[in-house]
Amino acid sequence: MITMDIQFEIKGGDFNQAGKASSKIKNRLKQLDIDPSIIKRVVVAAYEAELNVVAHAYHGIMTALFEPDFITVTITDSGPGIENIEQAMQAGFSTASGKVREMGFGAGMGLPNIKKNTDELKIESKVGEGTTLFFKIYY
Ligand SMILES: Nc1ncnc2c1ncn2[C@@H]1O[C@H](COP(=O)(O)OP(=O)(O)OP(=O)(O)O)[C@@H](O)[C@H]1O
Ligand SMILES: [Mg+2]
């Protein structure tokens, strides 16, 4: 398999477009004939990370790198950043606005779900600047 990467833009606040980048990754993994149980884990993690940009940040770029034995996904956003990453990782912790909760998000389960579904996870954030989330999943 040839190493390849694809990149998508994510617009903060745009719930109509939310999930588009993740579904493109899903299609590519299907084309590559990756095991469905692996595809599911990648899509859950990518979707939650994408939704976090839509719900909490202003603008983001998602980059998926398809390697022979694994995929890495990096989502870099400009946004408010995360003050306390350890706290944000706790199941149930959420700062989602009332509007975001009305849309059915804000259970505080996205980051724990990403953790559960990935083989490697790194989050870096600067308050007032933005957040970068990186994960890796082996095929
Ligand atoms: N990209 C981001 N930019 C700024 N804050 C973020 C970002 N991602 C997560 N957070 C912070 O971490 C908290 C927890 O995120 P998590 O995805 O676990 O829950 P949620 O997005 O609030 O709800 P859910 O994912 O269940 O809809 C968020 O409420 C927010 O405070
Ligand atoms: Mg979330």
Side-chain angles (χ1 to χ4, degrees):
M1 191 220 288
I2 310 162
T3 296
M4 162 182 61
D5 71 347
I6 51 178
Q7 224 172 44
F8 309 100
E9 197 189 348
I10 306 166
K11 289 185 187 134
D14 191 350
F15 283 91
N16 290 320
Q17 303 279 319
K20 278 213 163 163
S22 314
S23 73
K24 283 181 185 159
I25 292 175
K26 180 184 186 172
N27 292 340
R28 183 50 59 106
L29 289 168
K30 278 185 179 170
Q31 284 170 5
L32 294 172
D33 215 19
I34 301 301
D35 188 294
S37 66
I38 301 289
I39 296 181
K40 201 171 166 186
R41 287 171 55 208
V42 174
V43 172
V44 166
Y47 178 79
E48 291 293 355
E50 182 179 0
L51 252 297
N52 278 350
V53 175
V54 175
H56 307 296
Y58 314 137
H59 181 265
I61 302 281
M62 178 183 277
T63 306
L65 186 60
F66 300 80
E67 297 278 2
D69 301 323
F70 59 84
I71 181 173
T72 67
V73 178
T74 307
I75 299 104
T76 302
D77 70 54
S78 49
I82 303 173
E83 223 171 79
N84 183 336
I85 291 171
E86 210 178 303
Q87 181 183 43
M89 291 297 303
Q90 303 293 316
F93 177 84
S94 178
T95 61
S97 66
K99 184 184 156 251
V100 169
R101 285 170 199 272
E102 270 172 33
M103 313 268 318
F105 304 101
M109 290 309 296
L111 291 177
N113 244 333
I114 295 171
K115 180 78 189 163
K116 198 174 77 186
N117 282 285
T118 53
D119 293 314
E120 207 180 306
L121 170 64
K122 281 183 219 156
I123 303 172
E124 281 168 19
S125 193
K126 247 190 180 155
V127 173
E129 289 187 19
T131 302
T132 295
L133 185 149
F134 163 94
F135 69 78
K136 184 172 183 176
I137 293 175
Y138 288 92
Y139 297 150

